Amino acid sequence: MHKWAMLQRPAGALSSTPEQLARRARRAWLLFAAIALLIVTAALYGAGLYGRTAEVGTLAAQGRTDANLKVALLRAVLESPRALPLLLSADQQVRDALSQKNAAAIDVLNRKLEGLVSGTKASVLYVVGTDGLAVASSNWREPISFVGNDYRFRDYFSGAMQAGTAEYFALGNVSKRPGLYISRRVGDTDAPLGVVVVKMEFDQLEADWREANRPAYVSDENGVVLITSVPSWRFMTTAPLAAPKQAAIHDSQQFGDAPLVPLPIMHAQALSPDVSIVHAVTPGGSDAEYLSLSTTIPSTPWRLDYLIPAEAPIAAAVREMRLLALGVVVPLLGLAAYLLWRRQSAQMRIAAEQAARIELERRVVERTEDLSRARDRLQAEIAGHRSTEAKLQIVQQDLVQANRLAILGQVAAGVAHEINQPVATIRAYADNARTFLDRKQTGPAEENLGAIAALTERIGSITEELKAFARKGRTAAEPVELRGVIEGAVMLLRSRFAGRLDALAIDLPPPSLKVMGNRVRLEQVLINLFQNALEALDGRDDARVQVSVDETADGVTVGVSDNGPGIPPAILKSLFTPFNTSKEKGLGLGLVISKDIVADYGGRIEVSSDDSGTRFTIHLQTAA
């Protein structure tokens, strides 16, 4: 009794079954995996963000130092040429040349300017009269001498004449080289004598910048790039220019024919007013990420932009920080997973031992009952198998008999369907013969009786053909005159459709056209198609059945088209299925038999139908 009572205890009497603990363990591990994934994701994201921020700060600090050095170098380059116009504007030889304009004074000034430019970093020194024409130049000996050129259109000339001094960056209209033009008026505002101009070029400065392999460029107040370490970026813009501003710059010829298109720098992400992350495409390179630093250049309206390659160092810093984060998080998660596994293993072991004891006692008690039930089931299964085998034999015999009856019924229905047309014709000829005999007209009566005899032979041929079809036999194909087949089919239908055959419009083929087949069986096909078409047009005043014959490269096609209402879609889908028909008294075998006959001779039947009518097309092989 004590053991039996233990076996009757419900499962809930245990503290927890192994199945319950397994379900709890799965839920615990799923929760642990979700939390671990969340922690790892957060750690990777935070480490990546921190690594990126720290590296950007490092690059920005380094970039500011480099940018300040570049600004200082640019200012140093600018200071020396700026002093020359100031000194020359007070020079007596300059004033003499502008006031006297005689050859001797101009020759002295040319040689003086030539000597000055060789000792400075200036590119060209020249003096312009109040009429805008250059009277003397340091390059007076060269083919591209500025002497005699008109500079009235240049802003540095008009600006110096009005304000006393001007600075203007432009593309030289003679040398076609870019540079900064620094000008100063000679004489007072009320009595100006002319303008002294020094042109400063930055080839060496750009070459020095280029060695650092970090793009740097200087842009003016309109955003046009003037000085750059990337030559192809010169005279591009930091932002798209408004149409009026762009037109004004083009009209001034400040930058020649430069298109003033925006720089290939995009997707700016501002980090501070002067620091941003951009994507730039450098010549010969692909889209890369750069840290852009922007700073103003004192004593000028210009700005310096300095691009530091950031993609590789940021990626390395992010990778390093993420590896460090994983090195901390993964061991902690591993320790947590081990502790969870140990706790669950201990619980599972205790529950498994308790469940095993109860299961062993239950199996000992149930074993005898299982053996008894197994014996009873085996006896019942043996009896069931014997009964099933006997029923199976009866069902097989019934199926064989049903199949035989279905085949015999289809053959009988086919015979009745195909003989019905000649019998109706015989009846019509017999009535006509009786009428002729009553009128003592033996000639027509004999013709009708002859036709009746021919039709009886026709019935015999049909039954023989249908018997052959029922035996799955096949009449050997032979050359048949297609014209005779069509005429024979019309003849058989004449009595049944008296007065309605006018709807038939037949384009008879020449007698020489022959196809492979059997005349009687091909007539069966055409009779079925003509009859279906005429019945579909019953009661229509505009009834018309068009029969056409065409020779093609593949054989001969016979088309039978009517202008009836068409075949319903439900019927059309299974048109060549036995006993499928839309006629009230139809058997649905005519088209099935017709399709099999045509197939026996290597042909096929196609059908198309819509609201405007139906067309059957018979494809036959041409007789050689």
Side-chain angles (χ1 to χ4, degrees):
M1 284 297 293
H2 178 66
K3 289 184 178 182
W4 182 253
M6 286 184 62
L7 292 175
Q8 296 301 315
R9 285 187 305 174
L14 296 174
S15 59
S16 291
T17 64
E19 291 78 12
Q20 291 173 335
L21 290 176
R23 287 194 295 270
R24 292 177 186 171
R26 283 194 295 271
R27 288 196 296 269
W29 281 113
L30 287 175
L31 181 61
F32 178 83
I35 295 174
L37 180 61
L38 183 62
I39 292 174
V40 170
T41 302
L44 291 177
Y45 176 79
L49 187 61
Y50 176 80
R52 180 181 180 86
T53 303
E55 185 62 24
V56 167
T58 302
L59 291 175
Q62 177 188 354
R64 285 192 183 93
T65 302
D66 293 344
N68 291 334
L69 288 175
K70 292 183 183 299
V71 170
L73 180 59
L74 177 58
R75 291 188 63 189
V77 171
L78 289 173
E79 289 307 318
S80 177
R82 281 176 173 171
L84 285 175
L86 176 63
L87 296 174
L88 289 174
S89 64
D91 187 87
Q92 188 59 44
Q93 291 178 337
V94 173
R95 291 175 176 267
D96 291 342
L98 288 173
S99 60
Q100 298 174 10
K101 294 187 179 180
N102 57 56
I106 292 174
D107 182 68
V108 170
L109 182 58
N110 279 332
R111 296 178 186 278
K112 181 172 185 173
L113 295 178
E114 185 180 34
L116 285 174
V117 78
S118 62
T120 65
K121 295 181 180 180
S123 175
V124 181
L125 277 170
Y126 55 103
V127 177
V128 182
T130 55
D131 57 355
L133 297 177
V135 298
S137 175
S138 61
N139 61 0
W140 64 282
R141 298 178 186 273
E142 299 175 7
I144 59 171
S145 171
F146 290 2
V147 176
N149 288 333
D150 188 354
Y151 293 100
R152 283 177 296 177
F153 69 96
R154 286 299 197 184
D155 287 356
Y156 60 79
F157 173 76
S158 59
M161 290 292 290
Q162 293 173 8
T165 183
E167 291 187 2
Y168 185 70
F169 194 102
L171 183 70
N173 63 323
V174 176
S175 65
K176 302 302 180 182
R177 294 177 59 82
L180 176 64
Y181 295 83
I182 305 172
S183 61
R184 192 170 187 89
R185 185 181 62 226
V186 180
D188 300 327
T189 305
D190 299 331
L193 297 176
V195 174
V196 176
V197 184
V198 58
K199 181 182 178 182
M200 179 63 190
E201 295 181 359
F202 302 90
D203 295 347
Q204 184 59 46
L205 179 66
E206 291 177 335
D208 294 339
W209 287 2
R210 201 173 299 125
E211 289 178 359
N213 200 24
R214 291 183 176 183
Y217 56 91
V218 175
S219 57
D220 64 9
E221 63 274 20
N222 294 322
V224 180
V225 175
L226 306 178
I227 307 168
T228 174
S229 63
V230 183
S232 60
W233 286 6
R234 192 186 319 281
F235 299 152
M236 300 181 79
T237 62
T238 57
L241 292 178
K245 174 60 72 175
Q246 189 170 13
I249 293 175
H250 277 301
D251 292 340
S252 70
Q253 299 184 7
Q254 181 179 3
F255 306 116
D257 297 326
L260 302 178
V261 296
L263 287 168
I265 299 175
M266 62 214 81
H267 309 305
Q269 176 190 353
L271 303 179
S272 67
D274 61 343
V275 181
S276 60
I277 296 292
V278 299
H279 287 263
V281 180
T282 56
S286 58
D287 184 3
E289 191 177 59
Y290 291 84
L291 182 69
S292 174
L293 290 96
S294 181
T295 182
T296 58
I297 301 175
S299 75
T300 71
W302 298 347
R303 293 188 65 86
L304 171 72
D305 286 275
Y306 184 48
L307 303 184
I308 303 173
E311 195 165 351
I314 289 177
V318 168
R319 183 167 55 251
E320 181 179 356
M321 291 305 300
R322 285 177 174 173
L323 289 175
L324 181 61
L326 287 177
V328 175
V329 172
V330 170
L332 293 178
L333 291 176
L335 178 61
Y338 173 73
L339 296 176
L340 178 61
W341 173 78
R342 281 194 58 183
R343 181 173 179 276
Q344 291 178 349
S345 297
Q347 292 177 342
M348 287 292 292
R349 184 172 59 256
I350 295 172
E353 291 173 355
Q354 186 176 5
R357 289 195 301 271
I358 296 175
E359 181 66 15
L360 179 62
E361 293 173 355
R362 184 185 62 80
R363 288 184 177 182
V364 170
V365 172
E366 292 179 352
R367 185 59 178 170
T368 302
E369 295 181 2
D370 290 341
L371 292 174
S372 299
R373 286 195 293 270
R375 181 196 61 200
D376 296 339
R377 284 197 302 269
L378 182 60
Q379 291 176 350
E381 287 175 1
I382 292 173
H385 284 318
R386 291 174 179 171
S387 175
T388 302
E389 185 177 357
K391 291 179 181 178
L392 180 60
Q393 292 177 354
I394 295 173
V395 170
Q396 290 176 340
Q397 294 174 0
D398 291 344
L399 289 175
V400 171
Q401 182 65 17
N403 182 260
R404 185 182 299 113
L405 291 176
I407 294 173
L408 293 176
Q410 184 174 353
V411 171
V415 170
H417 180 79
E418 295 299 329
I419 292 179
N420 185 52
Q421 297 148 346
V423 168
T425 306
I426 289 173
R427 175 64 180 271
Y429 280 134
D431 292 340
N432 292 340
R434 183 182 298 112
T435 302
F436 288 134
L437 289 175
D438 291 341
R439 298 175 180 176
K440 306 302 183 180
Q441 297 176 350
T442 59
E446 288 179 357
E447 291 179 2
N448 280 271
L449 292 175
I452 290 172
L455 287 171
T456 56
E457 293 178 1
R458 170 71 172 158
I459 292 173
S461 299
I462 291 174
T463 56
E464 288 300 322
E465 292 295 334
L466 291 175
K467 287 179 183 178
F469 174 75
R471 294 193 300 270
K472 300 296 181 185
R474 176 175 175 173
T475 305
E478 58 185 7
V480 177
E481 184 182 318
L482 185 56
R483 183 187 185 104
V485 173
I486 296 174
E487 292 174 340
V490 174
M491 183 269 293
L492 288 173
L493 292 173
R494 182 171 288 111
S495 61
R496 180 177 177 186
F497 293 96
R500 294 164 57 188
L501 289 182
D502 293 341
L504 280 174
I506 304 176
D507 297 330
L508 289 173
S512 60
L513 181 60
K514 295 184 179 182
V515 297
M516 297 302 296
N518 176 272
R519 176 176 179 133
V520 174
R521 301 191 77 189
L522 292 180
E523 284 181 0
Q524 287 177 246
V525 175
L526 293 180
I527 288 170
N528 280 323
L529 296 183
F530 292 168
Q531 176 179 278
N532 288 344
L534 291 170
E535 289 177 350
L537 299 173
D538 189 21
R540 294 176 67 101
D541 295 335
D542 60 342
R544 182 174 180 81
V545 179
Q546 181 67 44
V547 182
S548 59
V549 178
D550 296 302
E551 290 187 73
T552 65
D554 298 330
V556 176
T557 62
V558 180
V560 181
S561 305
D562 64 65
N563 60 344
I567 302 173
I571 300 297
L572 187 62
K573 290 180 181 178
S574 54
L575 192 61
F576 295 101
T577 302
F579 307 109
N580 176 50
T581 180
S582 60
K583 301 176 185 177
E584 185 176 348
K585 296 183 180 180
L587 295 176
L589 292 174
L591 292 177
V592 179
I593 294 173
S594 298
K595 180 180 179 182
D596 289 341
I597 291 173
V598 173
D600 281 345
Y601 301 125
R604 67 184 189 278
I605 295 180
E606 298 175 348
V607 59
S608 61
S609 182
D610 54 30
D611 295 342
S612 60
T614 301
R615 176 180 175 83
F616 285 87
T617 305
I618 307 171
H619 296 268
L620 299 171
Q621 294 182 355
T622 306

